[in-house]
Amino acid sequence: MFEFGRDLRKLFEKARESDDLGWLELIGVDLVAAEARRETTDAGRASCVRPFEGWMRAAALWREHARRTGARDSLDRAARCASDAARHTATPDQTAAAAIESGEIHLLRFDLFGGLSTLSAALSDAQSLSAERPQTRAAAAALHARLTARRAAQTGEASTMLDAAALLDAALHGARILPPAAADDLRLDRAALALEAGVKRRDARLLDQAGRDLRALVESASPDYRPLTRARALALAGSGLMALAALAANETARLQGMALFDAAAEQFTPDHSPLDWVAVRMLQAQTDLPLLRLAEAEALTRESGLILGALARERRLAAEAALAEAMGDVDGLLGLESIVRRRLSKGGKVQAVDWAADQIGMAHLSMARARLTGTEPHAIGMILTEAMETAHEQGSRALAERARMAMPEAVAGA
């Protein structure tokens, strides 16, 4: 007789021994944290036979938890586990593998919290890696290519992005010997870079390349086994369609993009992967999104300095400003401004991206109040310029773009 509980436990026990952590997509964040704690405890035992492997696995588990929740503490735990793994290396190849894990953590730290210095340091370390085993060399090439792609995207230069895409191509070719999840990350990064460069250059070849990558990911990532990978691919495809729809003023493409966002959101629940859920909602927020949804997104991303959280708060403030203005509620706008001022008054205790989001939010509120009262808002251009520069310095192009779009001249021309 098939005993579901026992056989399911056997499945996960077998998966725990695999190098491919793709199975983690099947469990929620609470179970990921439980797995990470279990692995950390086991690796730290004096009786642990293979401490290097144990610490490496614990680092990867904490990194996955941070990727889904934005928890800074989980990212710090991952870094400590990678450091412990480095202290238990027995070969040069293990030393390289521990350095690669450390680089992956730095890459995720940049994605979550920004900081161009973090990205530059990680890229410098990745360029000096040397490994013995083909699999470790492939992992090093993948890390280097992904870090280079992040830096290229920050420049906004299509030619630089194309050079980075070539590195991703080479890394993807060598990723055949890596776990499927590693190849999926490379393909997602290549698709994202090709989409951005393709839109900038109006290059159909690059857009076709991105489309092929995303279609392959969606087709290979079963909703029953790889729901998060599938959702990330669907959301990126939706984002690409929305960008093309805006360029061509094509309503059909816009509706198709929105349908892809809806499909991405249907792959998992908010508690399964809070950040993925919020990321999809923030992409949808390119159009009108109910205030309740924005408030929910903000509640799921309250970690200090989290870029996605800063974006959620700025979008929520913009929505509240628009609603209060539509209702002629000057007192409501003044109340919201007081709340934002109290946060800004904390000075050095406020993370840079949070400060930038609040400054943009304050600009939304001030301009809405000025329109209702017939007064002139004070130094709005300077406030938004400083917010835009801060966002750029932190590596948050999306937040910088929100500051640019909030400029009075941009609003007037919309």
Side-chain angles (χ1 to χ4, degrees), residues 132-176:
E132 297 174 346
R133 295 172 60 234
Q135 188 170 9
T136 312
R137 286 199 297 271
L143 172 64
H144 179 245
R146 296 184 69 209
L147 288 165
T148 301
R150 295 297 192 283
R151 188 170 68 176
Q154 289 298 317
T155 69
E157 298 173 2
S159 59
T160 304
M161 287 190 276
L162 289 178
D163 291 341
L167 275 181
L168 288 168
D169 288 340
L172 196 54
H173 180 75
R176 295 168 184 165

Side-chain angles (χ1 to χ4, degrees), residues 7-281:
D7 286 352
L8 190 63
R9 284 194 297 273
K10 287 181 179 178
L11 171 66
F12 280 106
E13 286 298 332
K14 184 177 180 180
R16 285 185 179 120
E17 298 171 3
S18 169
D19 289 334
D20 182 16
L21 296 179
W23 62 275
L24 288 174
E25 293 193 23
L26 294 174
I27 64 176
V29 288
D30 290 343
L31 282 175
V32 174
E35 285 289 313
R37 282 191 290 269
R38 183 189 66 81
E39 195 68 51
T40 302
T41 300
D42 289 348
R45 295 185 193 279
S47 58
C48 182
V49 178
R50 302 170 65 188
F52 170 76
E53 289 80 1
W55 286 120
M56 287 287 286
R57 196 171 186 79
L61 288 165
W62 283 121
R63 176 162 52 87
E64 174 63 15
H65 187 262
R67 176 174 174 170
R68 289 202 220 169
T69 64
R72 193 186 294 270
D73 180 62
S74 293
L75 202 57
D76 292 341
R77 289 186 183 192
R80 289 195 295 270
C81 288
S83 179
D84 284 329
R87 285 196 289 270
H88 287 84
T89 57
T91 67
D93 197 75
Q94 286 186 340
T95 300
I100 291 168
E101 177 58 36
S102 180
E104 292 283 357
I105 294 165
H106 286 311
L107 173 60
L108 180 58
R109 193 179 296 277
F110 171 76
D111 286 346
L112 294 177
F113 300 104
L116 293 176
S117 58
T118 297
L119 185 63
S120 297
L123 185 54
S124 177
D125 290 344
Q127 288 171 326
S128 62
L129 282 172
S130 60
E132 297 174 346
R133 295 172 60 234
Q135 188 170 9
T136 312
R137 286 199 297 271
L143 172 64
H144 179 245
R146 296 184 69 209
L147 288 165
T148 301
R150 295 297 192 283
R151 188 170 68 176
Q154 289 298 317
T155 69
E157 298 173 2
S159 59
T160 304
M161 287 190 276
L162 289 178
D163 291 341
L167 275 181
L168 288 168
D169 288 340
L172 196 54
H173 180 75
R176 295 168 184 165
I177 58 176
L178 294 177
D184 288 345
D185 284 341
L186 279 168
R187 193 166 278 110
L188 275 170
D189 283 354
R190 185 173 70 172
L193 208 60
L195 262 179
E196 187 168 354
V199 169
K200 282 181 180 295
R201 295 167 62 103
R202 312 292 200 272
D203 190 324
R205 182 185 62 82
L206 289 173
L207 295 172
D208 286 344
Q209 172 66 63
R212 284 194 298 271
D213 275 339
L214 293 173
R215 185 167 55 249
L217 277 169
V218 171
E219 290 174 353
S220 64
S222 163
D224 296 324
Y225 297 101
R226 303 294 298 279
L228 297 180
T229 297
R230 184 181 179 87
R232 288 163 187 156
L234 286 168
L236 185 54
S239 181
L241 265 177
M242 293 292 284
L244 292 174
L247 285 175
N250 188 314
E251 179 64 11
T252 300
R254 189 190 72 81
L255 292 174
Q256 289 173 339
M258 294 301 295
L260 286 172
F261 290 147
D262 291 338
E266 290 170 0
Q267 303 300 311
F268 59 95
T269 57
D271 60 336
H272 191 82
S273 183
L275 286 200
D276 280 296
W277 187 87
V278 172
V280 173
R281 295 305 180 194

